[in-house]
Amino acid sequence: VRLTFYGGVGEIGGNKFLLESRGSRLFLDFGRSYEREKRFYEEPFLRPRGERHLIELGILPLIKGLYKCQEESCHLDGVVVSHAHRDHMDAIRYLKDEFPVYCSETTREIIKAREYSGISDPGYCISRLTKDGEECLKTFVECGDPSHIDAVEITQLAVDHSVPGASATVVDDGDCRLAYTGDIRFHGPSGELSSRFVSKAAGMDLDILLIEGTNMREGRMSSEGEVLLKAREVVESCGGLVMLGYHALDLDRMRTFVQVAGQCDRCLAVSMKQAFLLMRLGETVDLDIDPSRLFVFRRDKKTTYRYESEVLDAFGGRVVGSADINERQDRFLLTFTLFDMNESIDIVPWPGSVYILSSSEPFNEEMEISYERLCNWLDHLGMPLYQIHASGHGRPFELRRMVEEIGPRTVVPVHTTCPELYARYLADLECEVIVPGEKMTIER
Ligand SMILES: [Zn+2]
């Protein structure tokens, strides 16, 4: 097995690991690197024009034949995507459509739903709308049960993370066995899945473990259960509107807020995009959300996109706008990010209203919150801010325990800003720890 690191080393996000074995070539994740893009670009006026610019700047690896702009062909059996966060999958849009994407069914549905409800450059779509529905330009292959690519077997095992459908990946070529955690945590509502992955991996006699380390410098001890208790205390003490900021794909957090709403005799209003995602995932994920507590917030705007019409049809009477919220502020928890703030002028939050910011990872997973701008709006509205959050990533002691329990021969810390610290943290364990470098190759 040859493993080459083209991103996600010494940085959080942009994971791209090329695995070559017995004539097969696969990428484990092919994510967008916000860190690298930020060095050169400033949205919205200075943004890359296609993959040619990204390759030139070293943001995407130069590999001949991989990208749409290149005429040459190259052999690649596909990309195995761990989960639907953009820093793990979004750069697949620049790859030629002929390369299949291996992922869980839920991951596929999230990727498609988000693209359907977002704006993509027409030349770089993963799926697109047609008269009859939608067309998927990439071939998605589910690999919950082992998938075979020639002599190489790939298995994805579900793990807990802050997006549904997240998986760890195991690759077995007969001689060498490798596992890649993707992003993983143990303290979320589905922590049991992560423990099950660890037990399975422990029995596999692994040669290599690629392990994430997002929280090596951010070891926070809050759990999803604590988020519920703390948020409830805030909501119970508030007689006005409660606005919420959290990641649109974090459906565990959404479920927590629905529960808080139920306990405080309020309802949760979510964004159109979140409502659409819920509709699309209804068949693949058991969301366990009380539908009577769930409303959709409709921004005041002239055009209605097709996905929005579908949401409006599906939610019927459970659609609210700024005027409805204005009248019934003590009846709602309102999902409301910085990008919704123009609506606050019509909502006019009552004195005593509050904002709960329920995310704390501005540096990764596409959640670059402009904290200062948010605060300026809240100053204007007279709304204090509470930060209540539990991370999507394992704490350092859990990551170390995972290595101890799995017992691989070699460990490679990825998706972390401090791989050297990580290596020293694991130095007494019976495994070799390799600090990966850009374009470094490991052979086993
Ligand atoms: Zn993630």
Side-chain angles (χ1 to χ4, degrees), residues 83-88 161-163 182-183 364-365 392-393 415:
H83 62 285
H85 281 147
R86 289 194 205 273
D87 61 334
H88 290 258
H161 181 42
S162 49
V163 60
D183 287 351
N364 73 333
E365 289 166 3
H393 303 273
H415 203 270

Side-chain angles (χ1 to χ4, degrees), residues 230-245 257 260 264 266 325 329-330 332-337 341 344 347-358 374 377-379 381-388:
K230 291 173 185 170
R232 191 175 69 197
E233 195 178 346
V234 171
V235 175
E236 277 173 346
S237 63
C238 174
L241 182 61
V242 180
M243 288 181 178
L244 311 167
F257 286 132
V260 171
C264 299
R266 293 189 183 225
I325 298 286
Q329 300 196 19
D330 54 351
F332 280 98
L333 306 181
L334 178 63
T335 305
F336 207 79
T337 70
M341 277 297 170
S344 68
I347 292 173
V348 200
W350 297 340
S353 298
V354 298
Y355 194 93
I356 297 178
L357 182 59
S358 197
L374 176 66
W377 278 97
L378 298 179
D379 279 359
L381 298 168
M383 294 171 76
L385 180 139
Y386 294 89
Q387 200 149 24
I388 306 176

Side-chain angles (χ1 to χ4, degrees), residues 196-246:
R196 227 178 290 160
F197 156 68
V198 172
S199 308
K200 278 199 177 168
M204 284 178 184
D205 191 23
L206 284 183
D207 295 288
I208 304 175
L209 177 67
L210 301 180
I211 186 170
E212 74 122 316
T214 312
N215 278 348
M216 273 296 148
R217 285 207 174 104
E218 293 270 334
R220 292 172 200 229
M221 296 304 292
S222 282
S223 68
E224 197 64 33
E226 284 174 280
V227 171
L228 186 137
L229 294 177
K230 291 173 185 170
R232 191 175 69 197
E233 195 178 346
V234 171
V235 175
E236 277 173 346
S237 63
C238 174
L241 182 61
V242 180
M243 288 181 178
L244 311 167
Y246 58 99

